[in-house]
Amino acid sequence: KQEVTQIPAALSVPEGENLVLNCSFTDSAIYNLQWFRQDPGKGLTSLLLIQSSQREQTSGRLNASLDKSSGRSTLYIAASQPGDSATYLCAVRDFNKFYFGSGTKLNVKP
Amino acid sequence: DAGVIQSPRHEVTEMGQEVTLRCKPISGHDYLFWYRQTMMRGLELLIYFNNNVPIDDSGMPEDRFSAKMPNASFSTLKIQPSEPRDSAVYFCASTFGLAVGDTQYFGPGTRLTVL
């Protein structure tokens, strides 16, 4: 069974700092990997989706990379802002199965 | 589109009572998923449907849980009888398909508390 791990579990940084969130998975046979954002009391919002044949995806200040062979993905957030404060989850898809990490809770201090 | 709609947003019930959670997927999406999120276990897939047909219910924890999708615009997740350990946030999500580039869209969730 696929296992997804996210490190760190929580992160607090000052505004303006660049930061990296990590996601690792045990089985490299994946269809895609997604990064989601979850705000308190709300559902998940998809940020970036990297297909298995891709190495990275970018959207604005966000950049996600995928290294299937090592079972790792990183989410890079540039010039962090207080509005980025949320929990970030990565999800690995194995055809019709979706496996989520436990998330990294990010706090960006003004 | 209004996105995935779930009701109720909050539900408090007593142990032994029947609980029904509701979901309306995004129009045109052929797949619907039910998830449960707890602090201990994170986000777990319970069951998913394709064109109203249950495809994989291996994540349903016990026979007390059941899910139906009578039509393309409505699904229910029922717990009978409910127990305190069922307390969690239940999410519904939908997607157009299962191609490698297809993403899931999540509803706001139903926070269930069983006393």
Side-chain angles (χ1 to χ4, degrees):
Chain A
K1 180 186 172 182
Q2 179 78 264
E3 291 187 6
V4 182
T5 304
Q6 290 187 246
I7 295 173
L11 183 63
S12 184
V13 300
E15 181 177 4
E17 192 164 298
N18 302 326
L19 58 99
V20 174
L21 307 181
N22 297 292
C23 172
S24 62
F25 47 96
T26 54
D27 187 345
S28 61
I30 65 171
Y31 261 51
N32 64 36
L33 183 145
Q34 270 187 278
W35 283 93
F36 289 88
R37 169 182 172 140
Q38 184 174 24
D39 293 284
K42 297 188 178 181
L44 283 67
T45 301
S46 179
L47 298 173
L48 290 166
L49 182 152
I50 311 176
Q51 300 181 25
S52 59
S53 60
Q54 299 173 329
R55 297 284 298 195
E56 66 177 344
Q57 283 287 334
T58 298
S59 176
R61 295 183 293 107
L62 306 180
N63 175 274
S65 67
L66 174 64
D67 183 345
K68 278 201 317 178
S69 61
S70 66
R72 295 184 180 182
S73 175
T74 61
L75 178 66
Y76 175 82
I77 302 177
S80 58
Q81 303 171 357
D84 295 330
S85 298
T87 297
Y88 292 80
L89 294 96
C90 76
V92 168
R93 187 181 143 201
D94 169 15
F95 183 53
N96 63 347
K97 294 277 191 181
F98 297 82
Y99 302 91
F100 285 79
S102 54
T104 293
K105 187 173 184 179
L106 173 65
N107 178 37
V108 181
K109 299 171 288 186
Chain B
D1 201 312
V4 176
I5 299 173
Q6 291 187 246
S7 65
R9 294 293 312 276
H10 301 273
E11 176 80 33
V12 180
T13 190
E14 293 189 348
M15 183 173 63
Q17 296 297 306
E18 177 179 296
V19 175
T20 300
L21 311 180
R22 297 172 176 80
C23 175
K24 175 179 169 54
I26 292 173
S27 177
H29 282 189
D30 291 336
Y31 289 82
L32 182 141
F33 304 81
W34 281 100
Y35 290 90
R36 177 172 68 175
Q37 186 176 42
T38 61
M39 289 292 292
M40 290 295 295
R41 301 176 67 89
L43 199 63
E44 303 173 285
L45 177 64
L46 301 178
I47 185 172
Y48 82 92
F49 295 82
N50 175 214
N51 291 325
N52 314 335
V53 176
I55 303 300
D56 187 342
D57 64 355
S58 60
M60 297 284 263
E62 303 172 31
D63 291 344
R64 299 184 296 106
F65 286 71
S66 63
K68 294 182 180 179
M69 193 165 186
N71 57 62
S73 60
F74 184 65
S75 177
T76 60
L77 178 67
K78 186 176 293 186
I79 308 172
Q80 166 63 21
S82 58
E83 297 182 3
R85 59 194 169 118
D86 301 331
S87 296
V89 181
Y90 291 81
F91 289 103
C92 175
S94 70
T95 183
F96 176 76
L98 291 183
V100 293
D102 287 333
T103 188
Q104 293 182 73
Y105 295 85
F106 281 75
T110 295
R111 181 174 294 276
L112 173 64
T113 302
V114 183
L115 302 174

